């Protein structure tokens, strides 16, 4: 099996996936692509959350013609998602997209696919062969074997047309099938795998389903880029993806919140404090462990081990930084101190990075 370190690197705009590069986080907009303002606004929100690649649906000529304007207004690579009308792919390439995704189940005929592949080749734009169980052609069995066979058949077609700048994916709404199929696929091809459980649903159900699939596959060493598919705001997909990757030790971004579930010992409204702190620190990108604990049983221990933390008690809270007690405050004061400490730490980290960059530039 070709693991993450073994896959062929593929450059998508300014991001390289595969070949042991960090697992990239991607998402897909759910705006109408023709609505450039709404789409760019959503992509900007995704960028702020850490999204590194973004895919947009291209179902109409107008949506294809919007891609240039969208691309000029965003900073991350743009991927055109094509189904049925592959002629739109030529417009997408003309508009400068960084990758196209084709789905064998919605390719109208192989002649137009061949022309599109040759056009992508001429522009050196990567193609994802993305097989989805929901649109698997009837000629294939609706199981792991059929999903893999379909992917390999289309990969072979494209290779025979002389192009191998490819990414592959097999998605099913069943996490176990998704994992098994992608593991099998990784025993045949070295192309980077775009990993995700499709149609996973929304809310906690979707998060659990996606997490099960992603964790099992990533622990096996496969998956070069991930998308968590959730019904709803795609920004949540990015947040969940980083949480999964952080907990597997694959990426470090943002706050690792350590908080107790509370119990009969807790004498504060920890849930609302937790939500307040979580939302205040949503946009922090610096990796940091932050503890929010309900009482003195495990509170001081966890707060001491974290980069900073608060252990609450009745009408008071002990604030810790790097294992040391800063002081005992009212719960409100402690929350404010914690939030401002984290924000300041990120600010000074950024200033340090800028200072280092500037001095490197001067030295060069
Ligand atoms: S830290 Fe305290 S309040 Fe929180 S779960 Fe443990 S014993 Fe209960």
């Amino acid at each position: 099996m070709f693991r993450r370190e073994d896959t062929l690197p593929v450059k998508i705009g300014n991001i390289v996936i595969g070949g042991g590069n960090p697992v990239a986080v991607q998402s897909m907009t759910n705006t109408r692509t023709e609505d450039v303002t709404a789409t760019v606004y959503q992509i900007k929100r995704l960028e702020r959350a850490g999204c590194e690649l973004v895919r947009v649906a291209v179902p109409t000529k107008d949506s294809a013609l919007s891609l240039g304007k969208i691309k000029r207004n965003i900073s991350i690579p743009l991927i055109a998602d094509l189904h049925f009308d592959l002629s739109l792919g030529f417009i997408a390439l003309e508009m400068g997209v960084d990758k196209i995704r084709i789905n064998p189940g919605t390719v109208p005929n192989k002649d137009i696919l061949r022309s599109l592949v040759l056009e992508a080749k001429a522009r050196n734009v990567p193609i994802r062969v993305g097989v989805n169980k929901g649109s698997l052609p009837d000629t294939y069995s609706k199981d792991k074997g059929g999903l893999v066979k379909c992917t390999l058949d289309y990969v072979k077609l494209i290779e025979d047309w002389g192009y191998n700048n490819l990414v592959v994916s097999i998605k099913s709404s069943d996490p176990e099938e998704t994992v098994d199929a992608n593991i099998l696929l990784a025993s045949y091809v070295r192309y980077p795998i775009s990993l995700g459980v499709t149609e996973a649903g929304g809310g906690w159900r979707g998060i659990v389903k996606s997490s099960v699939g992603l964790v099992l596959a990533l622990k096996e060493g496969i998956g070069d880029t991930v998308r968590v598919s959730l019904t709803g705001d795609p920004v949540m997909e990015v947040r969940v993806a980083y949480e999964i990757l952080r907990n597997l030790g694959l990426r470090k971004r943002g706050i690792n919140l350590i908080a107790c579930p509370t119990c009969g010992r807790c004498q504060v409204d920890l849930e609302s404090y937790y939500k307040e702190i979580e939302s205040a620190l949503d946009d922090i990108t610096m990796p940091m462990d932050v503890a929010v604990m309900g009482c003195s049983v495990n509170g001081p221990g966890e707060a001491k081990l974290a980069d900073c933390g608060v252990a609450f008690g009745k009408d008071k809270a002990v604030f810790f930084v790097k294992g040391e007690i800063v002081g005992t405050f009212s719960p409100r004061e402690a929350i404010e101190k914690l939030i401002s400490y984290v924000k300041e730490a990120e600010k000074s980290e950024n200033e340090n990075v800028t200072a280092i960059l500037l001095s490197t530039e001067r030295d060069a």
Side-chain angles (χ1 to χ4, degrees), residues 22-190:
V23 178
V25 171
Q26 63 173 289
S27 186
M28 185 168 181
T29 55
N30 58 11
T31 52
R32 287 184 65 249
T33 307
E34 297 88 335
D35 187 342
V36 174
T37 308
T39 303
V40 167
Y41 178 72
Q42 189 170 73
I43 295 174
K44 289 281 174 199
R45 289 181 57 238
L46 287 166
E47 283 177 2
R48 273 200 299 280
C51 182
E52 293 166 311
L53 299 158
V54 68
R55 183 159 50 111
V56 296
V58 185
T60 61
K61 190 171 178 190
D62 281 347
S63 61
L65 289 168
S66 306
L67 296 170
K69 208 164 180 190
I70 293 170
K71 185 162 166 54
R72 284 192 294 281
N73 283 285
I74 64 173
S75 313
I76 53 177
L78 183 64
I79 304 165
D81 195 57
L82 304 167
H83 299 276
F84 306 114
D85 187 354
L86 292 194
S87 69
L88 301 175
F90 297 93
I91 304 176
L93 290 169
E94 187 62 40
M95 293 288 127
V97 295
D98 300 291
K99 183 176 142 201
I100 55 174
R101 181 268 173 122
I102 60 110
N103 173 353
T106 60
V107 167
N109 67 69
K110 288 176 183 158
D111 290 337
I112 188 158
L113 178 62
R114 182 173 183 274
S115 306
L116 185 63
V117 167
L118 295 182
E119 185 62 27
K121 182 182 176 191
R123 295 170 183 270
N124 201 26
V125 171
I127 299 174
R128 168 157 71 100
V129 177
V131 170
N132 192 311
K133 190 169 182 184
S135 47
L136 187 67
D138 288 338
T139 43
Y140 294 94
S141 58
K142 304 277 183 212
D143 56 14
K144 175 178 78 173
L147 290 162
V148 173
K149 172 115 183 41
C150 176
T151 316
L152 294 177
D153 284 351
Y154 277 78
V155 163
K156 174 88 172 45
L157 262 185
I158 297 172
E159 286 175 340
D160 287 349
W161 293 329
Y163 200 40
N164 66 355
N165 193 7
L166 303 179
V167 176
V168 290
S169 72
I170 295 177
K171 296 188 180 182
S172 156
S173 59
D174 176 337
E176 215 176 345
E177 185 172 58
T178 301
V179 175
D180 290 348
N182 280 287
I183 287 174
L184 184 58
L185 180 63
S187 66
Y188 289 103
V189 292
R190 278 186 73 188

